[in-house]
Amino acid sequence: MAYVPGVALLAALAVGCSAGSDGSATDADSKPGGPTVTTAPPGKYRTLPAPCRAVPASTLKDLLPGVAELPRQQQEKALRGSPTITYDTDRKVGCSWKADAPDSSRNLSIDFERVVSYDPLVSDEDRARSLYVKKENAAELPGGTTPGTAPEKGAPTSAGGGEKGQEKETGKAGDGKGSADPSPSASDSAGTSSGTPGTPGGSDEDLRPRVVDGLGDAAFLDDLLTRAGSTAQHRTVSVVFRTSNVIVTVRYGEQPALVTKVPDSKELQDKAQALARKLAEVISE
């Protein structure tokens, strides 16, 4: 019986040591000042609009004059458009339309890209901003802005303007290479669309590829005239804009039936920009 208190004392000490060990482990785990990882916020947009239904029929008829001349069934088919084949419609979708008229053929395409960053430290919007800047730099806008004065907050734009496509008689609006035909008729047609290069106040100043203000978070317009061999000249106007984590591209082109005719820059640019602004509203709905 004299040993019972000693046994009880040892048991009590063992319990106390065990409790003390658990407490110190808990204290160690809860010490302040440990490293914390902040995950970047997700993008504003989680879905994309249906591209072939994003452009109203009335707008398509204006952009594609040849559609109005088609029989009703063919007209409906042309207005439905052709969806772009993509492997992930949650990330990228598009649609294209084409119509032929007696004097020219016109084509239109739109693409929506929802950018997702797989880096937890980089937000979807920051990733989209980076991709947009690459697209603008690739366009080689003449007289590009100086880094630090770009409309994109916190992102540089193109640093100056090489002009593309010299080897296939291509040129940007207003760069002096807008017409590949030296004939008077071609020169006259080019003058109505691009102005006289270097003339102050001429339409040439307004039609050069450039950054576009007031469209999404950042936008630019490119205008490229191409011609290969003896075929008619083809002008493609592209408007690219970013709104949050979505990048939208509008491409609108015309190829006249006559080899000597140059597509009108101003008309194509005005209509492409108007459509881009409508699409910006569609995304925000």
Side-chain angles (χ1 to χ4, degrees):
M1 298 298 292
Y3 296 99
V4 173
V7 172
L9 179 59
L10 290 173
L13 290 173
V15 171
C17 290
S18 176
S21 298
D22 292 343
S24 62
T26 302
D27 292 342
D29 290 342
S30 59
K31 285 183 179 179
T36 58
V37 178
T38 302
T39 303
K44 178 179 179 180
Y45 299 105
R46 303 294 185 89
T47 60
L48 293 172
C52 292
R53 295 199 297 269
V55 186
S58 58
T59 302
L60 287 172
K61 289 180 181 180
D62 178 55
L63 293 169
L64 308 169
V67 169
E69 307 299 325
L70 298 174
R72 182 176 179 180
Q73 289 186 343
Q74 295 182 28
Q75 185 176 136
E76 291 176 351
K77 181 179 179 181
L79 293 175
R80 281 199 295 269
S82 302
T84 303
I85 298 176
T86 62
Y87 297 101
D88 187 352
T89 54
D90 288 334
R91 294 280 308 280
K92 191 171 184 179
V93 294
C95 194
S96 61
W97 298 262
K98 184 177 180 181
D100 296 323
D103 58 341
S104 68
S105 63
R106 299 204 184 191
N107 58 282
L108 169 70
S109 70
I110 59 175
D111 291 294
F112 299 93
E113 181 178 1
R114 185 175 68 90
V115 180
V116 176
S117 172
Y118 293 103
D119 185 341
L121 301 181
V122 179
S123 69
D124 294 345
E125 183 168 353
D126 286 341
R127 176 62 176 157
R129 180 183 291 109
S130 176
L131 291 177
Y132 167 83
V133 170
K134 288 181 179 179
K135 290 177 181 288
E136 183 179 310
N137 289 341
E140 297 181 342
L141 305 183
T145 57
T146 303
T149 63
E152 273 270 20
K153 294 182 179 180
T157 58
S158 56
E163 295 171 354
K164 299 186 296 184
Q166 298 179 7
E167 68 279 1
K168 285 192 177 181
E169 295 184 346
T170 65
K172 291 177 179 290
D175 67 359
K177 293 179 282 189
S179 173
D181 195 319
S183 65
S185 58
S187 300
D188 293 343
S189 300
T192 61
S193 63
S194 296
T196 303
T199 302
S203 61
D204 168 60
E205 293 182 359
D206 298 326
L207 297 177
R208 293 179 185 273
R210 61 198 178 276
V211 169
V212 177
D213 296 326
L215 176 57
D217 295 317
F220 71 88
L221 178 150
D222 199 8
D223 185 325
L224 190 63
L225 183 68
T226 60
R227 180 177 175 182
S230 60
T231 60
Q233 299 183 77
H234 186 279
R235 185 182 296 281
T236 300
V237 172
S238 302
V239 178
V240 181
F241 71 91
R242 180 187 69 81
T243 175
S244 187
N245 62 314
V246 172
I247 298 175
V248 182
T249 302
V250 175
R251 293 185 182 88
Y252 183 41
E254 178 185 11
Q255 179 170 311
L258 296 177
V259 174
T260 56
K261 185 177 180 181
V262 180
D264 187 352
S265 265
K266 187 176 189 323
E267 180 195 2
L268 297 180
Q269 289 190 19
D270 287 348
K271 290 185 175 182
Q273 288 189 78
L275 175 57
R277 296 184 189 281
K278 289 182 180 180
L279 296 179
E281 295 175 359
V282 169
I283 294 175
S284 300
E285 291 177 353

